[in-house]
Amino acid sequence: MSRRKKQNPFPGGLVGGSYKPLKDGDVEKIHKATMKVFENTGIQVNDERALKAFHDAGAQVDFDQKMVKATEDWIMKTIKTAPESITLYGREDKHNMDLDGFKVYIGTGGTATNVLDIDTGKRRPSTMEDVQKAARLVDALENIHYFVISCFPNELEKENVDVNRFYGALRNTTKHVMGGVYTKEGVRNIAKYAEMIAGSKEALLEKPFVSFITCVMSPLVMDKDYTDLMLTAIETGLPLATPTAPMAGSTSPGTLAGTLVQMNAEALSGVLLTQIVNPGHPVLYSCVPTTSDLRTGAFCFGSIEMGMMNAACAQLSRFYRLPNYTTAGVNEAKIPDIQSGYESMATTMLCALAGSNYIHDAAGLLESGMSISYEQYVVDNDILGMCMRAVKGIEVNDETLATEVINDVGPAGNYLSHEHTVMNMNKEFFYNKVSDRNTRARWEIEGEIDAREKARRMAIEILKTHKPLFIDQHIEQKIIQEIPGMLSEWLD
Amino acid sequence: MTQIMEDIIENLIDGQTKKVVALVEQAIAEGIAAKDILNKGLLAGMNEVGVLFKEGELFVPEVLVSAKAMNAGMEVIKPLLKEGDIQKSGTVLLATVKGDLHDIGVNLVAMMLEGAGYEVVNIGVDASPEKIVESVKKIQPDLIGMSAMLTTTMASMKDTITALEESGLSDKVKIMVGGSPVSKDYADKIGANYAGDATAAVELANELLGR
Ligand code: B12
């Protein structure tokens, strides 16, 4: 029969930008203040190679103090080589993402060390099985646009984590895979098997379906190990995010503007190093500004200020003509509940309306990123869909103004059976999957379940039925044989 | 099944009224019996629509547009149908009870019942027990559906049932009730059947009339 496959009317890549938490003059003020920090305070770089690179490129380097200072002219000249937009690819082209302008894509985040078990609901240490299942779930959830590797496989030796985590993700979704890394060997081996999957190094770099995250530390430090990893990641040529996560009030000033200034210096440091070492390297202006709850000092990922600051990053990144990586949708709730719902929605919505290119952490995470939950991915799929709907905005034209239709139906008529309604019902409205919109009677018949239980059942069903496009058997065998530390058994 | 019947079904599901009418005319020209066009084309299509709606594939507006297409096709073959060709699925009388002016919900129920092949007579809002009794005598429905949206007007459902009993009509018709303050318990208490929404109303009608 003619079942029309309804296509997603609110896909990734819609253009946001209507919410602007910073007034135009404010962006310039934050920029100027950041330049002052670079000139007067500087950043500490605890890696010899990086220090030398900054020096050779013309920054002022104090090798004894390991401090790098720089002028506005030098900074603006040096970041110029960074691409203004980047395409992150999926293993299937339908998942490619064009990070440009105010285009919006939203996805998951990591790296949690725990998971709420889907059967018992109890928190337990996460494993490789959870990495794979989370990837598979995300593969099936249409409003989650990419997969940042969700959790840490606690059962593995540290040196085997990188290759297996990335492979478990890549194998279970054809959406773009990005992840944090722990060892240099791991970074190199991931690049190596990614080349095998792509067919060649050239093919991989032309359509990179995998990318890395290496961090900058607040306040104002490029850490020894992470910078070493960053340099290794740059060598692979794959796209890179270099996020920094200041906490307003504890590791950055107790004002939003001050936190943005310091974060801007840190985010630009990552961009600067990539461009010095490899001009033109695909890098994201990467931001994780957070807050502290000053009643206790607790870290806050779900605060409203966090949403506002991350939204502001979209404006800052446009000022520097760089694509951005921002953070939203993660929360402090311990289980999927009312708190996880409103915190996730608030920050993700702000970033989406601001036109952030790559909003990460926005699905599946709970407990300030310490835990993932299968139900939460399904709930967030609804939240992300609502955000993308809002990004699309209200379309006003002769067809949507509908004066002829109003005339057709007239007073006391109804629009339910009008062609115009049928024509528009899929493109004008977002249909939540978790939200219960039935009558109370029907809700009672269906077992009086709440959103968490409904999402849990949906997650179980997806995991039972959804089969991703796996990696070619021959290539998989070759990878397992040639790459040290690879597991040989993978989820069917 | 012949190709043309498949085409009728396909276009009915797509709500293509003009194409359905054209195809029905073509089928008549090809000499296919009106009864077969009805059963193997139009009604078979609406059955499929019902299934797709239940599965969440089709939305309410689509069902209603399909129903419109079916009715348009019906108009073409009606003059050709012989006595007994149409299995009467039943007549439903709908009303919003006395003192109550809410009719959005009951209109939706009416449209869904029509979509399912019922003949629906909606006598409108603020219908007193007397008016309903009069209408039942005139129309002789198989089923009465009463809607009330106000706690204060719910009592009029009971009054109507009493009036029907007093006129000796109550065992000639089935009765269903609905509306947001109405519940299954209340319906049981007044001797009526309850459905919570328009889809459930169709299911209930099918059940009560043995379809
Ligand atoms: C729209 C509306 C109005 C409109 C009605 C327009 C119209 N043409 O119908 C207007 C503005 C006129 C109105 C007026 C009033 N309203 Co009013 N109204 C509503 C509202 C917001 C929505 C009703 C609706 O259309 N829902 C959408 C439809 C699709 O759903 P539905 O009606 O529930 O129908 C579904 C089912 O119930 C079922 N069903 C319905 N009928 C039947 C029949 C059968 C046989 C079956 C099987 C199933 C069935 O199937 C339907 C489809 O799925 C409700 C609030 C609410 N959430 O329900 C208040 C509400 C019903 N109104 C209310 C009130 C108080 C009033 C007024 C008294 C306000 C005033 N002070 O003036 C007046 C009363 C007017 C009057 N005498 O009737 C209260 C009733 C409280 C109560 N329990 O008594 C409500 C609940 C709002 C509230 N919370 O206060 N209202």
Side-chain angles (χ1 to χ4, degrees), chain B residues 19 27 47 50-51 59 79 82 115 125 132 144 161-162 169-170 196 207-208 210:
Chain B
K19 284 196 190 145
N47 277 339
V51 172
F59 293 2
K82 294 188 276 301
V125 298
I132 294 177
I144 303 173
I161 291 174
T162 310
L169 293 166
S170 59
E207 191 188 310
L208 291 174

Short mmCIF file of all heavy atoms in Angstrom, two decimals, chain B residues 19 27 47 50-51 59 79 82 115 125 132 144 161-162 169-170 196 207-208 210:
data_model
loop_
_atom_site.label_atom_id
_atom_site.label_comp_id
_atom_site.label_asym_id
_atom_site.label_seq_id
_atom_site.Cartn_x
_atom_site.Cartn_y
_atom_site.Cartn_z
N LYS B 19 -9.32 11.71 -8.50
CA LYS B 19 -8.84 10.46 -9.12
C LYS B 19 -9.75 9.30 -8.76
O LYS B 19 -10.03 8.45 -9.60
CB LYS B 19 -7.40 10.16 -8.70
CG LYS B 19 -6.39 11.03 -9.42
CD LYS B 19 -4.99 10.46 -9.28
CE LYS B 19 -3.97 11.46 -9.79
NZ LYS B 19 -2.72 11.43 -9.02
N ALA B 27 -14.28 2.32 -13.97
CA ALA B 27 -14.66 0.95 -13.61
C ALA B 27 -16.07 0.63 -14.09
O ALA B 27 -16.34 -0.46 -14.60
CB ALA B 27 -14.54 0.76 -12.10
N ASN B 47 -11.19 0.40 4.85
CA ASN B 47 -10.69 -0.53 5.86
C ASN B 47 -9.20 -0.36 6.06
O ASN B 47 -8.70 -0.33 7.18
CB ASN B 47 -10.98 -1.98 5.45
CG ASN B 47 -12.40 -2.38 5.81
OD1 ASN B 47 -13.02 -1.74 6.68
ND2 ASN B 47 -12.92 -3.39 5.15
N GLY B 50 -8.42 2.63 7.98
CA GLY B 50 -8.64 2.40 9.41
C GLY B 50 -7.43 1.72 10.05
O GLY B 50 -7.00 2.11 11.14
N VAL B 51 -6.89 0.74 9.35
CA VAL B 51 -5.73 0.02 9.88
C VAL B 51 -4.53 0.97 9.99
O VAL B 51 -3.85 1.03 11.03
CB VAL B 51 -5.37 -1.19 8.97
CG1 VAL B 51 -4.05 -1.81 9.40
CG2 VAL B 51 -6.49 -2.21 9.00
N PHE B 59 -2.89 10.33 9.87
CA PHE B 59 -3.38 11.24 10.89
C PHE B 59 -4.86 11.53 10.64
O PHE B 59 -5.37 11.26 9.55
CB PHE B 59 -2.59 12.55 10.86
CG PHE B 59 -1.14 12.41 11.28
CD1 PHE B 59 -0.60 11.17 11.62
CD2 PHE B 59 -0.32 13.52 11.34
CE1 PHE B 59 0.72 11.04 12.00
CE2 PHE B 59 1.01 13.40 11.73
CZ PHE B 59 1.53 12.17 12.06
N PRO B 79 -26.66 5.59 -7.80
CA PRO B 79 -27.81 5.29 -8.67
C PRO B 79 -27.79 3.87 -9.23
O PRO B 79 -28.81 3.34 -9.65
CB PRO B 79 -27.67 6.30 -9.81
CG PRO B 79 -26.70 7.34 -9.33
CD PRO B 79 -25.84 6.69 -8.31
N LYS B 82 -28.23 -1.71 -6.27
CA LYS B 82 -29.56 -2.29 -6.09
C LYS B 82 -29.84 -2.43 -4.59
O LYS B 82 -28.93 -2.38 -3.77
CB LYS B 82 -29.61 -3.66 -6.76
CG LYS B 82 -29.48 -3.57 -8.27
CD LYS B 82 -29.74 -4.90 -8.95
CE LYS B 82 -28.56 -5.83 -9.04
NZ LYS B 82 -27.38 -5.38 -9.71
N GLY B 115 -16.29 8.45 8.63
CA GLY B 115 -15.13 7.84 7.98
C GLY B 115 -15.19 6.32 8.06
O GLY B 115 -14.71 5.62 7.17
N VAL B 125 -25.91 21.39 19.28
CA VAL B 125 -25.70 21.68 20.70
C VAL B 125 -27.02 21.99 21.40
O VAL B 125 -28.06 22.16 20.76
CB VAL B 125 -24.73 22.87 20.88
CG1 VAL B 125 -23.37 22.53 20.31
CG2 VAL B 125 -25.28 24.13 20.24
N ILE B 132 -34.19 15.31 21.80
CA ILE B 132 -33.53 14.06 21.43
C ILE B 132 -34.55 12.95 21.20
O ILE B 132 -34.50 12.22 20.22
CB ILE B 132 -32.48 13.67 22.51
CG1 ILE B 132 -31.34 14.71 22.52
CG2 ILE B 132 -31.91 12.27 22.23
CD1 ILE B 132 -30.27 14.50 23.58
N ILE B 144 -27.32 6.18 19.80
CA ILE B 144 -27.33 7.60 20.16
C ILE B 144 -26.01 7.92 20.85
O ILE B 144 -25.56 7.15 21.71
CB ILE B 144 -28.46 7.94 21.16
CG1 ILE B 144 -29.83 7.55 20.59
CG2 ILE B 144 -28.45 9.41 21.52
CD1 ILE B 144 -30.95 7.71 21.61
N ILE B 161 -31.87 9.76 29.13
CA ILE B 161 -32.08 8.31 29.17
C ILE B 161 -33.44 7.98 29.80
O ILE B 161 -34.20 7.14 29.31
CB ILE B 161 -30.92 7.62 29.89
CG1 ILE B 161 -29.65 7.73 29.02
CG2 ILE B 161 -31.24 6.15 30.18
CD1 ILE B 161 -28.38 7.21 29.66
N THR B 162 -33.78 8.70 30.87
CA THR B 162 -35.09 8.51 31.50
C THR B 162 -36.21 8.81 30.51
O THR B 162 -37.18 8.05 30.40
CB THR B 162 -35.21 9.43 32.74
OG1 THR B 162 -34.04 9.26 33.54
CG2 THR B 162 -36.44 9.10 33.56
N LEU B 169 -38.46 3.88 24.06
CA LEU B 169 -37.49 3.80 22.96
C LEU B 169 -36.17 3.18 23.39
O LEU B 169 -35.33 2.84 22.56
CB LEU B 169 -37.19 5.22 22.43
CG LEU B 169 -38.33 5.94 21.73
CD1 LEU B 169 -37.99 7.42 21.58
CD2 LEU B 169 -38.59 5.31 20.36
N SER B 170 -36.01 3.03 24.73
CA SER B 170 -34.67 2.73 25.22
C SER B 170 -34.16 1.35 24.80
O SER B 170 -32.97 1.16 24.68
CB SER B 170 -34.61 2.88 26.74
OG SER B 170 -35.54 2.00 27.32
N GLY B 196 -13.69 7.34 25.38
CA GLY B 196 -12.89 8.50 25.80
C GLY B 196 -12.48 9.43 24.69
O GLY B 196 -12.19 10.60 24.93
N GLU B 207 -18.54 -2.25 18.28
CA GLU B 207 -18.82 -3.29 19.26
C GLU B 207 -20.32 -3.36 19.56
O GLU B 207 -20.93 -4.44 19.53
CB GLU B 207 -18.04 -2.96 20.52
CG GLU B 207 -17.99 -4.04 21.58
CD GLU B 207 -17.34 -3.49 22.84
OE1 GLU B 207 -16.26 -2.88 22.75
OE2 GLU B 207 -17.96 -3.63 23.91
N LEU B 208 -20.93 -2.18 19.82
CA LEU B 208 -22.34 -2.15 20.20
C LEU B 208 -23.24 -2.62 19.07
O LEU B 208 -24.28 -3.23 19.30
CB LEU B 208 -22.74 -0.73 20.62
CG LEU B 208 -22.13 -0.22 21.92
CD1 LEU B 208 -22.49 1.24 22.13
CD2 LEU B 208 -22.60 -1.06 23.11
N GLY B 210 -22.32 -4.66 16.70
CA GLY B 210 -21.91 -5.99 16.25
C GLY B 210 -21.23 -6.01 14.90
O GLY B 210 -21.45 -6.90 14.10
#
